[in-house]
Amino acid sequence: MMGYGCGDMGFMWPWMLGWSILLIAVLAALVWGIVRLARGGGRSPDNPPSSARIILDERYARGEIGEDEYRTRRETLG
């Protein structure tokens, strides 16, 4: 019975440490996934977000704004 008592945890601590690290990793991955979904990270590649520059170019191409306004806004955007 030597080595199996409550006072001798020498053989168990590596297993407890390993399971603790695994549990923390699983919980971190779960939190990361929930946050990503909540922020819209699951957006499909077919529908990327439009940037202000693309919208400005489209408005100019459709004739909604003139060349002076286009250039001014383009400089403002950087």
Side-chain angles (χ1 to χ4, degrees), residues 8-63:
D8 187 18
M9 298 269 298
F11 70 96
M12 286 186 62
W13 74 266
W15 288 102
M16 290 179 5
L17 180 65
W19 282 109
S20 298
I21 291 172
L22 181 65
L23 179 64
I24 291 170
V26 167
L27 289 175
L30 184 64
V31 169
W32 175 80
I34 290 170
V35 168
R36 184 169 179 205
L37 285 175
R39 290 186 178 173
R43 186 174 302 173
S44 70
D46 298 333
N47 189 16
S50 296
S51 69
R53 177 71 184 268
I54 293 172
I55 294 170
L56 182 64
D57 291 344
E58 290 173 355
R59 289 186 64 200
Y60 178 66
R62 286 192 299 261

